[in-house]
Amino acid sequence: MGLLDGKVVVITGGAGRLGRVFADALAGAGGRVVVAEVMNDHTTGVVEALATRHGGAVVGMACDITDAGSLDRLIDGTVARFGHIDALVNNAYPRNAAYGRKFDEVTYADFVENVGMHAGGYFLAAQRFIRRFEQQGHGNIVNMASIYGVVAPRFEVYAGTDMTMPVEYAVIKSGVLMLTRYLAAHCAGRNIRCNAISPGGIRDGQPEAFLERYRAHALTKGMLDAQDVAGTLLFLLSDLSAYINGQNIVVDDGWTL
Ligand SMILES: NC(=O)c1ccc[n+]([C@@H]2O[C@H](COP(=O)([O-])OP(=O)(O)OC[C@H]3O[C@@H](n4cnc5c(N)ncnc54)[C@H](O)[C@@H]3O)[C@@H](O)[C@H]2O)c1
């Protein structure tokens, strides 16, 4: 028996760096997984690889989380394919070409656009899925937040690199955490719950000096791998966490202690 046997889970951004590892873990636990993505050559390739590994348990569907019509088509397509939807994982990471600049270089227009696409997209997906969840009488939402929605940036870990912690990200992820509590309260009495996961940094070829400085604040490993977060996602999607609601689970090797 898998932890997610028979559960239908839609994961936005499911072909991304974390998303593809999550989708693989969800299908491995018995889930039926819809990888909801902006479809291009890369994301299509990721979906094909997952489908080859898991057969019909993983399917890709086109989706733009900033477009209500696209989300409604995703919901209808998922129900047509699997009959119902047990859970939504808000995991996509929309950003424009200017995203990632240092504080002084961020324009008002870029700030508003990036916050709007990401936090606004998480809101919009939740709104559309909750409508469906209400009709079927149950539902579960997991929002991917971040340690940077929990604590202030440690800018010193980026010294000597081109990297920074974008100001938009702090606003987005702290907002996603409060959106999580808002949705849990909003859905009271409707058998729909909502929780968040706040991962620490995920290893992805960053400069060694940065990894060292980051590790100095952690308790064991430092930067994590996506696989290190997947177990918490499985738990929140499973019935083991049935009465956990409105919470945030920080998975960061103690970095925010
Ligand atoms: N990578 C990290 O270190 C880290 C740490 C903590 C939290 N997170 C969070 O985890 C989540 C996934 O991050 P990631 O690093 O895998 O990002 P990623 O950029 O590798 O993947 C994100 C995916 O989202 C998709 N996407 C972008 N815009 C979209 C839209 N409008 N509609 C639907 N899909 C869209 C992209 O095609 C991409 O495949 C994000 O919420 C991110 O903030 C990441």
Side-chain angles (χ1 to χ4, degrees):
M1 289 285 282
L3 211 50
L4 300 184
D5 271 348
K7 289 207 190 293
V8 179
V9 181
V10 176
I11 176 166
T12 67
R17 197 161 24 134
L18 273 68
R20 60 178 173 254
V21 175
F22 293 160
D24 188 49
L26 301 183
R32 284 170 284 173
V33 183
V34 176
V35 173
E37 265 287 1
V38 176
M39 285 304 175
N40 52 42
D41 288 349
H42 170 71
T43 54
T44 305
V46 172
V47 171
E48 281 172 5
L50 285 165
T52 301
R53 196 163 139 81
H54 296 288
V58 177
V59 297
M61 290 193 197
C63 160
D64 175 355
I65 64 164
T66 68
D67 178 343
S70 168
L71 286 160
D72 289 343
R73 287 190 292 280
L74 167 68
I75 290 165
D76 290 346
T78 302
V79 172
R81 171 72 189 236
F82 292 119
H84 69 281
I85 310 172
D86 291 290
L88 163 71
V89 183
N90 256 330
N91 170 78
Y93 194 165
R95 63 262 211 201
N96 72 13
Y99 182 79
R101 291 188 178 154
K102 296 189 176 164
F103 180 78
D104 276 336
E105 292 149 21
V106 176
T107 67
Y108 175 78
D110 287 330
F111 180 94
V112 169
E113 186 174 22
N114 282 304
V115 172
M117 288 192 296
H118 195 147
Y122 280 36
F123 145 73
L124 190 61
Q127 184 197 59
R128 312 315 285 195
F129 274 76
I130 285 170
R131 286 183 189 179
R132 172 70 210 174
F133 291 159
E134 284 172 334
Q135 287 167 16
Q136 66 184 21
H138 66 96
N140 187 2
I141 298 173
V142 178
N143 289 327
M144 214 46 66
S146 163
I147 50 172
Y148 285 135
V150 178
V151 293
R154 286 183 165 130
F155 288 111
E156 69 273 17
V157 300
Y158 302 105
T161 76
D162 293 337
M163 302 158 61
T164 190
M165 213 296 276
V167 61
E168 301 96 315
Y169 202 64
V171 172
I172 290 164
K173 291 309 191 186
S174 57
V176 165
L177 289 175
M178 189 50 78
L179 176 68
T180 301
R181 298 186 195 108
Y182 183 104
L183 294 174
H186 170 75
C187 293
R190 289 182 245 184
N191 199 24
I192 302 167
R193 62 196 176 102
C194 182
N195 293 289
I197 300 174
S198 290
I202 303 297
R203 190 185 298 266
D204 185 35
Q206 293 91 347
E208 192 52 44
F210 164 77
L211 293 174
E212 284 287 327
R213 280 194 293 271
Y214 184 98
R215 194 179 301 123
H217 294 281
L219 301 185
T220 310
K221 180 171 175 174
M223 296 284 280
L224 301 178
D225 297 299
Q227 194 59 49
D228 298 324
V229 183
T232 304
L233 179 59
L234 292 187
F235 170 66
L236 286 177
L237 292 172
S238 80
D239 295 338
L240 291 179
S241 60
Y243 295 100
I244 296 181
N245 203 348
Q247 303 302 307
N248 173 39
I249 301 184
V250 179
V251 184
D252 71 345
D253 189 26
W255 203 77
T256 53
L257 275 183

